[in-house]
C-alpha cells in the first residue's frame, strides 16, 4: 500500500512502550541514518504522509507525539521537555544510530530541545517552519481561535480554515483526515499545548548545539513563523543551510513535499 494512501495510514502504525506510554509510530525500513519526523501541534504522523513517498528508500520513523493521534497519555503533561524525552526514548527503544530529527513547527521546537537534552542520540537537525520563540500573544488570532474551541470539536469548525491554511495543491482528503484527528483532542489539551508553545524560549537550548548545522526550511508566506523567525533560527547556529520556499505557507511539507524532500536528501544523504 502507498505511503500516501490516507485510508491505509492508521493501519501502518505500530506501538512501542515508553515508560508505560504506548507510542504510536510508522516505521518504514530503508537506508540509514534514519529520519525521525516530528509533527506539529494537533497533528499526527499523518502530517508526513505526503512527504514520505518522496523520501523513498530511507528509513523513516514517524511518531504520534504524546496526546496526539493514537498515542494516549495518562497525564496532561505537555512541556517541551516531556516531548523531547519521549523522542529520545523512542530513538533508544528502536536502537536508532544517531538519526536525523526532522521537525515541523512545534516538532521543530521539540527537535531542538531533544538535541539539547540528548545530543549523543542525534545526528542532525532539519527544522521546517520552526522558531526559537513563538511570540504568539494572547490576542493573536490563533490564540483567540484555540481558546474559542469547545468539546466536542467539529472537524468542520471554521477555525480549521485558518489552522490548516494551505494552497489548493494539498489534497482535500488529507486535510479532512488531519481535521478529524485534531478534533479528537479535547479543547483543554489544545489550550495546554498552546501555552507550552507561547512560553517556550529555545535560545539557551540552541546555544548548546554548536556542533550541529541544521537545515532550515521556511515558507515565504508563513503567517505564523515567517522570515524573522527563520532568520533568528539561522543566527542561533554557527553553520546552517537555509531554504526559503517563496510561495509557501506554514505547512511547507504539505505544499511542496518534493522540494522539501530534495533539500533533506541533499543535506543528509544516506
Amino acid at each position: 500500500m502507498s505511503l500516501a494512501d490516507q485510508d491505509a495510514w492508521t493501519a501502518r502504525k505500530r506501538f512501542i512502550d515508553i515508560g508505560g506510554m504506548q507510542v504510536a509510530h510508522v516505521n518504514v525500513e530503508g537506508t540509514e541514518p534514519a529520519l525521525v519526523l516530528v509533527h506539529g501541534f494537533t497533528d499526527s504522523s499523518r502530517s508526513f504522509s505526503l512527504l514520505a513517498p518522496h523520501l523513498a528508500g530511507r528509513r523513516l520513523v514517524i511518531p504520534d507525539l504524546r496526546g496526539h493521534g493514537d498515542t494516549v497519555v495518562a497525564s496532561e503533561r505537555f512541556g517541551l521537555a516531556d516531548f523531547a524525552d519521549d523522542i529520545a526514548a523512542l530513538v533508544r527503544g528502536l536502537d536508532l544510530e544517531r538519526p536525523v530529527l526532522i521537525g515541523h513547527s512545534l516538532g521543530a521546537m521539540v527537535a531542538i530541545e531533544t538535541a539539547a537534552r540528548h545530543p549523543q542520540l542525534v545526528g542532525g537537525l532539519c527544522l521546517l517552519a520552526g522558531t526559537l520563540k513563538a511570540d504568539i500573544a494572547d490576542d493573536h488570532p490563533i490564540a483567540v481561535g484555540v481558546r474559542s474551541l469547545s468539546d466536542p470539536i467539529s472537524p468542520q469548525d471554521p477555525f480549521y480554515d485558518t489552522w490548516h491554511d494551505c494552497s489548493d495543491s494539498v489534497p482535500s482528503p488529507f486535510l479532512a483526515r488531519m481535521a478529524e484527528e485534531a478534533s479528537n483532542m479535547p479543547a483543554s489539551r489544545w489550550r495546554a499545548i498552546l501555552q507550552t508553545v507561547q512560553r517556550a524560549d529555545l535560545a539557551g537550548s540552541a546555544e548548546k548545539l554548536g556542533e550541529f548545522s541544521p537545515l532550515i526550511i521556511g515558507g515565504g508566506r508563513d503567517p505564523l513563523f515567517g522570515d524573522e523567525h527563520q532568520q533568528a533560527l539561522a543566527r542561533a547556529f554557527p553553520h546552517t543551510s537555509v531554504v526559503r520556499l517563496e510561495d509557501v505557507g506554514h505547512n511547507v511539507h504539505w505544499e511542496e513535499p518534493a522540494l522539501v524532500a530534495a533539500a533533506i536528501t541533499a543535506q543528509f544523504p544516506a
Side-chain angles (χ1 to χ4, degrees):
M1 53 187 170
S2 167
L3 280 170
D5 183 346
Q6 296 305 311
D7 289 334
W9 187 263
T10 300
R12 286 183 168 274
K13 292 184 184 180
R14 299 295 180 264
F15 292 85
I16 183 171
D17 184 277
I18 293 178
M21 180 173 64
Q22 297 297 311
V23 175
H25 62 287
V26 171
N27 192 346
V28 181
E29 294 300 327
T31 56
E32 308 284 344
L35 308 177
V36 176
L37 296 98
V38 188
H39 64 75
F41 174 23
T42 79
D43 292 345
S44 72
S45 56
R46 187 185 300 277
S47 178
F48 293 105
S49 63
L50 304 180
L51 177 65
H54 297 280
L55 295 169
R58 294 297 295 269
R59 171 83 182 275
L60 307 178
V61 176
I62 318 175
D64 292 352
L65 291 174
R66 60 166 55 210
H68 295 70
D70 292 307
T71 298
V72 180
V73 286
S75 66
E76 295 291 303
R77 290 183 51 180
F78 300 109
L80 282 182
D82 299 310
F83 290 124
D85 289 347
D86 291 345
I87 296 298
L90 179 69
V91 169
R92 293 191 184 100
L94 295 177
D95 294 322
L96 303 180
E97 183 66 29
R98 292 180 63 84
V100 176
L101 302 187
I102 300 171
H104 170 247
S105 194
L106 168 64
M109 302 173 83
V110 173
I112 293 170
E113 187 67 8
T114 303
R117 293 171 67 85
H118 308 277
Q120 75 283 3
L121 298 180
V122 180
L125 290 173
C126 174
L127 310 175
L128 309 177
T131 187
L132 293 176
K133 186 176 174 63
D135 288 328
I136 299 175
D138 286 339
D139 61 354
H140 189 286
I142 289 294
V144 173
V146 169
R147 288 199 305 273
S148 72
L149 296 173
S150 59
D151 298 322
I153 300 172
S154 169
Q156 285 77 46
D157 193 297
F159 178 63
Y160 283 114
D161 293 339
T162 299
W163 192 238
H164 288 160
D165 182 44
C166 53
S167 70
D168 292 339
S169 66
V170 180
S172 56
F174 165 80
L175 291 173
R177 291 297 183 90
M178 294 298 294
E180 288 173 7
E181 292 180 350
S183 296
N184 289 333
M185 295 176 59
S188 60
R189 188 173 301 165
W190 279 69
R191 290 188 278 273
I193 301 174
L194 174 64
Q195 287 185 346
T196 290
V197 174
Q198 287 180 300
R199 295 170 180 170
D201 185 343
L202 290 168
S205 296
E207 286 180 359
K208 301 175 183 178
L209 300 178
E211 66 182 275
F212 288 87
S213 301
L215 170 61
I216 297 169
I217 303 178
R221 295 185 178 179
D222 188 338
L224 192 60
F225 302 146
D227 287 342
E228 290 185 5
H229 292 268
Q230 304 311 302
Q231 292 164 11
L233 271 175
R235 290 194 300 269
F237 297 92
H239 305 285
T240 60
S241 297
V242 179
V243 175
R244 186 177 189 271
L245 301 177
E246 294 292 339
D247 295 322
V248 178
H250 186 64
N251 297 299
V252 293
H253 58 311
W254 300 358
E255 296 189 54
E256 292 289 356
L259 293 180
V260 170
I264 291 170
T265 301
Q267 180 83 359
F268 305 106

